[in-house]
Amino acid sequence: MLELDAITMRFGGLTALHAMSLSVAEGETLGLVGPNGAGKTTLFNVISGVYAPSGGTIRFGGQDVGALPQWKRARVGIGRTFQIPQPMRELTVRENLRVAQRFGAGKEDPAALDEILDLLGLAHKQHADAATSLALTEQKALEVGKALAVRPRLLMLDEVLGGLEMATKRTFARTLETVRARFGLTMVIIEHDIETIKALCPRVVVLNFGQLIADGTPEAVFNDPQVIRSYTGDTPA
Amino acid sequence: MLELILQALYSGLLAGGYYAMIALGLALVFGTMRIINLAHGELVLLAAYVAFEMERSFGWTPLASIPVALVVVGLTALVIYLLIGRIRQDRELNSLILTFGIAIVLTNLILMIWSADIRSTSNSWFMDGVVLGDTLFSMRGEVIFCVIGVLLLAATYWWLNHTWQGRALRAVASNRDAAKLMGVNPARIEALSFLVSGVLATFAGVAVYTASVVFPAVGHNLTIKAFVITVLAGMGSVPGVLLGAVLIGVGETLTTTLAKPSLQELTGMVIFLLILFLRPSGLFGRKGMVKK
Amino acid sequence: MKHRMVVLVALVLAYGAVPLLLGSMDYVMSLIIAALTIGGVALAWALLGNLGGLVSFGHAAFFGVGAYTSAILVVDHHWPVLLAMVAGGVGAAVASVATMPALRLRGPYFALAILAYGHIFRILAVEATSLTGGAAGMLSIPGFPTLLGINLASKTGAYALILTIVLLFAWLYGLIRRSTYGLALRAMHDSELATRVVGVPSTHLKAAMLVISAFMTGVVGAFNAHQINFLDPEYAFASSWTVLPIAAAIFGGYRTVWGPVLGALVVFLVDQLVFKELMPSGHQLVFGVLLGGMVILGPHGLLPLLGRWSKKEASHAGA
Ligand SMILES: Nc1ncnc2c1ncn2[C@@H]1O[C@H](COP(=O)(O)OP(=O)(O)O)[C@@H](O)[C@H]1O
Ligand SMILES: [Mg+2]
């Protein structure tokens, strides 16, 4: 469904992604891990069209989406969340979802919004101001809600479970699993917690200094010496 | 025909000298504060009317009224600076509306005090012809103020590059926070940039009064001209301002010679839009006017 | 329900009481018509500012283009006046398309680029002599027809016409603002990234607001041309058509639908009835003071400012 070929992203002198190739199959849930600054968020930004890569191609559902502007990527079915929640200011929670649905999915469907709000436990807060009146968990849930309202085929979650308490994290992870099954999503999840990754993702890739250094089942990947070394701070040869 | 074109080039060059004075004041304030002072042309106009008043009431030559104009315009510039300081949010856009309002106030004050009549110096010494190489004609006033303009520009350039204050000003322009860490007080430097801009406006105003004509609506046109030149120069390069000014000056006189005078203003506007769209960082600069 | 009542009473007053009480005073009616004309432009300006997030210093351009388009269609091509006025709006909308490259400029540069367009359109109107009559202008532009038994060319008729135009525009503005388009536009100011990533084509929406704002301004410009039956470039593209609406919108609150219209009524009538008497030349100074004052005292205009004060007082009273 998603095929990245030799994606390179440079910021001035810094190369955040280094000729990176990756493919994600339809219906797969992929864990994306790696130390801070490895380039995970940058990869999402490139796929969702926030940045134009310095080189390489992005194919989604068989189509080359590299030239599509950001807003059209949402419309072809790429949904994403932001590591730092980005609610639409001045709007309520429900209005946030309405905008995402109207423009991302193409038409308004109040029943579908109700379902998303229910699934994410936001129903009671739907008329609250999105930017000022949500707790951290609710802000993260809204991030997911906006992405879902777009009716994506691919959902990319950037540390939506980060910073949550262990118990909350487990509940939220179960919610994500429900959501995935309900909407038949392909997912890429950035997450630091190994237990969560093991619970959610049959396949994991590891990014370090803008390069993929491992790809496989969680068991195989987290026992890979190279991966362990990358977390203890060694630079690649 | 060639003679006419040469004459147009020459006149445009001379006009460029005092256009540069007008534009540099605007560019300096823009550089330090990221603020486009839409009342800048009115400051220039104010100086022109001070010169007019001194000449009418006391028979002073325009050059002698420069000190008086410096005080009047300098104080007005400081008032504008203080008012801008009271803006609390979205300074970039609100300052535009604020200075737009100040420009309207100044224009109408000038209208009330000095009426809508067209004024220019009655001092014939400035209007005497000066002929260069038998063919190129100009008025003495034009030549004098072109020279003054170039000298002032050179002085400002030197000041920016070789004095502590000038360097502090450039530091604030390029990175406010870093400048603070270096012990520079940005507020004081901003006030200073407004004062220097007032000084430049004073000389420019006396030049406009002596070498051309003034009436209340001229201020608005001067602001636009200054802004056009600043955009051409790429916001904040002194040699760029001079080149941009000459380009506009020559563009205008050539339009007058080759097409017709009524199209003169159009030339500036079209050059301006072309630059904005095709080379938004200006001909000689780097700073972005385009989003992101 | 209460809201409906207020609207109903306001409509009855506007369409009934005002003409009945003031209809015989030509001068007063002229002033109110002029104030509503400015109010219409102020509303269009505020729509662009509030929904599009764009400050324009060049609405005089759209006003002038609308006025000339309509006048030329009626004089040279014998179009019916009301239809030509709509065409005037379309003309201004088309002109706004020419200004669209400016949309990629940051705020202040957009504002000034539009100002430059205003000057260019004015110069073009002077130069296109065969079309516009050049600097000499167009004289005896036909006035409004009689419609449904109402003579729109009378002062009362013209008042009813401009009132209807302004009300229609306000209704349209409200409609857009409440729609998902309006929500997306509102969110765009502070959260452009968040809106784009869910599929909002922000630049297109801004462009659409520019077109709508230009259309409205053009229609009002056309109304004015047929109301005063005369046009010349200096007048049709005068900076007053930019300055007064901005002052009115900022004074009344450009974030509200009604603020700009009420602002125009207050600002223009006070200016004409008080300041013009006190200082015959230079009374526009007041607009400058107003703009500066509003920016420093309350950047969102008087209506929200009043709201804030009354809220403050209420909370004081409660404490
Ligand atoms: N817009 C940007 N400009 C410059 N450097 C950036 C930008 N975005 C990310 N980077 C750099 O790219 C590298 C990867 O960052 P990021 O993708 O955010 O890492 P992470 O894997 O923690 O999400 C970092 O060194 C970061 O500083
Ligand atoms: Mg990250």
Side-chain angles (χ1 to χ4, degrees):
Chain A
M1 142 155 312
L2 177 70
E3 282 137 54
L4 306 177
D5 187 32
I7 295 288
T8 298
M9 182 74 222
R10 273 188 286 274
F11 297 108
L14 183 127
T15 305
L17 294 174
H18 214 103
M20 217 206 84
S21 300
L22 173 70
S23 69
V24 183
E26 175 118 42
E28 195 169 23
T29 300
L30 176 71
L32 176 57
V33 302
N36 276 324
K40 303 179 299 289
T41 298
T42 302
L43 183 65
F44 277 13
N45 283 335
V46 166
I47 297 171
S48 61
V50 178
Y51 300 140
S54 323
T57 56
I58 309 165
R59 299 179 71 79
F60 178 73
Q63 180 195 359
D64 187 341
V65 295
L68 294 184
Q70 215 180 329
W71 59 273
K72 276 195 184 158
R73 308 249 183 136
R75 292 185 177 189
V76 296
I78 300 176
R80 69 163 291 182
T81 66
F82 287 94
Q83 185 170 349
I84 300 162
Q86 306 266 337
M88 297 177 209
R89 296 185 172 279
E90 303 210 6
L91 305 191
T92 67
V93 169
R94 193 182 177 91
E95 286 169 341
N96 263 266
L97 301 196
R98 273 182 67 196
V99 169
Q101 191 182 47
R102 170 67 188 78
F103 289 94
K107 66 171 198 305
E108 293 208 48
D109 178 353
L113 285 194
D114 287 336
E115 187 185 0
I116 293 174
L117 287 165
D118 270 339
L119 279 170
L120 296 170
L122 283 173
H124 67 294
K125 281 274 178 108
Q126 60 176 306
H127 299 299
D129 184 70
T132 56
S133 53
L134 298 186
L136 180 66
T137 320
E138 291 162 342
Q139 292 176 26
K140 301 251 176 186
L142 176 59
E143 276 301 300
V144 178
K146 281 187 301 169
L148 284 177
V150 163
R151 275 213 149 278
R153 288 189 287 153
L154 171 70
L155 179 61
M156 304 191 291
L157 303 172
D158 194 348
E159 302 197 22
V160 277
L161 301 169
L164 301 183
E165 286 181 20
M166 217 46 225
T168 328
K169 199 174 234 186
R170 272 194 213 109
T171 326
F172 207 148
R174 270 197 300 277
T175 308
L176 291 180
E177 185 49 40
T178 317
V179 163
R180 189 196 65 75
R182 167 67 186 83
F183 297 106
L185 295 169
T186 306
M187 297 211 292
V188 181
I189 302 176
I190 299 178
E191 171 56 32
H192 287 296
D193 180 54
I194 294 177
E195 291 315 309
T196 314
I197 288 283
K198 281 182 177 163
L200 285 173
C201 313
R203 178 186 164 207
V204 180
V205 293
V206 184
L207 200 57
N208 194 28
F209 290 99
Q211 282 173 310
L212 277 189
I213 56 168
D215 184 345
T217 61
E219 288 70 25
V221 163
F222 291 123
N223 291 319
D224 184 334
Q226 206 191 345
V227 173
I228 295 166
R229 237 183 297 126
S230 79
Y231 274 92
T232 52
D234 287 359
T235 54
Chain B
M1 193 63 209
L2 182 68
E3 228 163 78
L4 281 177
I5 291 180
L6 282 176
Q7 174 65 44
L9 288 176
Y10 179 59
S11 303
L13 213 64
L14 290 176
Y18 73 83
Y19 284 0
M21 277 193 278
I22 305 175
L24 186 57
L26 187 92
L28 263 184
V29 169
F30 180 82
T32 43
M33 298 180 74
R34 302 272 113 191
I35 275 172
I36 300 161
N37 176 13
L38 288 180
H40 187 69
E42 277 72 14
L43 288 179
V44 174
L45 194 62
L46 193 59
Y49 274 97
V50 169
F52 162 69
E53 189 60 52
M54 294 296 124
E55 187 175 68
R56 180 171 69 174
S57 305
F58 310 113
W60 290 11
T61 147
L63 287 174
S65 59
I66 287 179
V68 184
L70 271 176
V71 174
V72 175
V73 174
L75 285 178
T76 314
L78 275 185
V79 169
I80 298 179
Y81 167 76
L82 290 176
L83 287 174
I84 289 177
R86 308 229 10 214
I87 297 176
R88 277 165 314 234
Q89 38 174 302
D90 199 357
R91 196 167 82 154
E92 205 174 14
L93 267 178
N94 275 324
S95 67
L96 214 59
I97 295 174
L98 173 63
T99 55
F100 190 53
I102 295 172
I104 297 172
V105 170
L106 287 177
T107 306
N108 283 286
L109 276 179
I110 288 173
L111 179 69
M112 280 155 86
I113 301 175
W114 289 294
S115 89
D117 295 346
I118 295 177
R119 315 282 187 183
S120 108
T121 186
S122 53
N123 190 323
S124 60
W125 187 78
F126 285 102
M127 289 185 279
D128 285 346
V130 176
V131 181
L132 194 77
D134 283 345
T135 51
L136 299 177
F137 176 84
S138 63
M139 292 190 307
R140 188 177 280 140
E142 286 180 287
V143 178
I144 290 177
F145 279 102
C146 177
V147 172
I148 291 183
V150 172
L151 288 178
L152 259 183
L153 238 65
T156 313
Y157 188 64
W158 182 86
W159 178 75
L160 281 173
N161 287 288
H162 295 281
T163 65
W164 182 86
Q165 285 161 325
R167 279 198 292 263
L169 194 145
R170 287 193 303 144
V172 172
S174 66
N175 188 334
R176 221 182 131 90
D177 295 326
K180 256 192 221 162
L181 290 177
M182 287 160 49
V184 174
N185 177 352
R188 194 170 293 166
I189 293 299
E190 289 173 354
L192 185 67
S193 73
F194 249 97
L195 261 183
V196 175
S197 142
V199 171
L200 289 163
T202 303
F203 279 89
V206 176
V208 174
Y209 176 64
T210 317
S212 173
V213 299
V214 294
F215 46 93
V218 161
H220 180 67
N221 296 343
L222 292 180
T223 303
I224 297 192
K225 200 163 289 185
F227 182 70
V228 169
I229 293 167
T230 309
V231 166
L232 271 175
M235 301 289 175
S237 122
V238 176
V241 166
L242 186 60
L243 269 169
V246 169
L247 208 69
I248 291 291
V250 169
E252 287 181 356
T253 48
L254 275 182
T255 312
T256 307
T257 307
L258 299 177
K260 50 182 173 176
S262 56
L263 289 180
Q264 188 179 310
E265 206 189 342
L266 197 62
T267 315
M269 293 297 158
V270 171
I271 296 180
F272 167 66
L273 288 178
L274 282 178
I275 295 291
L276 271 187
F277 298 148
L278 301 179
R279 250 196 85 85
S281 53
L283 284 181
F284 317 101
R286 296 143 269 115
K287 297 261 162 59
M289 290 176 267
V290 174
K291 281 180 268 194
K292 295 281 131 62
Chain C
M1 236 30 292
K2 197 176 145 212
H3 184 73
R4 288 245 170 94
M5 280 307 290
V6 174
V7 171
L8 205 67
V9 171
L11 281 180
V12 169
L13 283 178
Y15 278 103
V18 170
L20 278 179
L21 292 175
L22 306 171
S24 57
M25 293 184 264
D26 266 7
Y27 176 62
V28 177
M29 284 309 278
S30 302
L31 285 184
I32 295 178
I33 292 170
L36 282 173
T37 305
I38 290 160
V41 181
L43 183 113
W45 184 87
L47 180 147
L48 185 63
N50 185 25
L51 295 183
L54 297 166
V55 171
S56 153
F57 282 133
H59 264 51
F62 305 135
F63 188 90
V65 170
Y68 268 105
T69 307
S70 183
I72 291 169
L73 286 175
V74 173
V75 172
D76 294 349
H77 304 280
H78 312 291
W79 282 40
V81 170
L82 293 180
L83 188 65
M85 281 169 58
V86 178
V90 174
V94 170
S96 79
V97 174
T99 70
M100 276 181 191
L103 280 175
R104 65 196 187 96
L105 300 173
R106 285 189 30 240
Y109 302 97
F110 173 82
L112 293 162
I114 292 284
L115 182 68
Y117 276 106
H119 284 272
I120 290 178
F121 284 130
R122 193 196 71 236
I123 298 166
L124 292 180
V126 176
E127 294 304 318
T129 325
S130 61
L131 206 58
T132 63
M138 298 173 75
L139 296 169
S140 26
I141 298 166
F144 306 114
T146 297
L147 194 74
L148 309 171
I150 306 169
N151 177 12
L152 294 178
S154 70
K155 283 278 180 275
T156 314
Y159 163 78
L161 182 58
I162 185 69
L163 180 67
T164 309
I165 292 173
V166 170
L167 287 176
L168 276 176
F169 288 170
W171 174 74
L172 181 65
Y173 181 1
L175 215 61
I176 297 174
R177 207 166 74 137
R178 280 191 306 274
S179 72
T180 32
Y181 288 87
L183 292 178
L185 284 160
R186 198 147 27 110
M188 249 162 51
H189 299 304
D190 291 325
S191 322
E192 183 143 6
L193 185 62
T195 50
R196 274 209 305 256
V197 85
V198 295
V200 176
S202 44
T203 312
H204 296 202
L205 288 193
K206 278 186 192 177
M209 292 309 113
L210 181 60
V211 170
I212 293 173
S213 177
F215 172 82
M216 290 176 169
T217 309
V219 171
V220 175
F223 167 84
N224 192 60
H226 298 289
Q227 155 71 11
I228 61 163
N229 314 110
F230 160 81
L231 273 186
D232 75 33
E234 288 301 329
Y235 170 80
F237 293 92
S239 61
S240 319
W241 299 120
T242 302
V243 174
L244 269 62
I246 297 182
I250 294 199
F251 178 71
Y254 79 97
R255 292 256 173 194
T256 63
V257 174
W258 292 108
V261 180
L262 296 177
L265 283 167
V266 173
V267 168
F268 185 76
L269 292 180
V270 169
D271 173 58
Q272 291 292 312
L273 296 173
V274 181
F275 292 105
K276 203 175 170 185
E277 299 300 318
L278 292 178
M279 26 184 187
S281 84
H283 61 98
Q284 286 211 346
L285 177 136
V286 180
F287 298 122
V289 174
L290 202 68
L291 279 179
M294 291 315 296
V295 164
I296 289 172
L297 297 176
H300 292 311
L302 199 63
L303 276 190
L305 205 64
L306 287 176
R308 202 158 67 223
W309 278 338
S310 58
K311 245 185 243 162
K312 238 189 236 160
E313 266 162 36
S315 68
H316 280 309

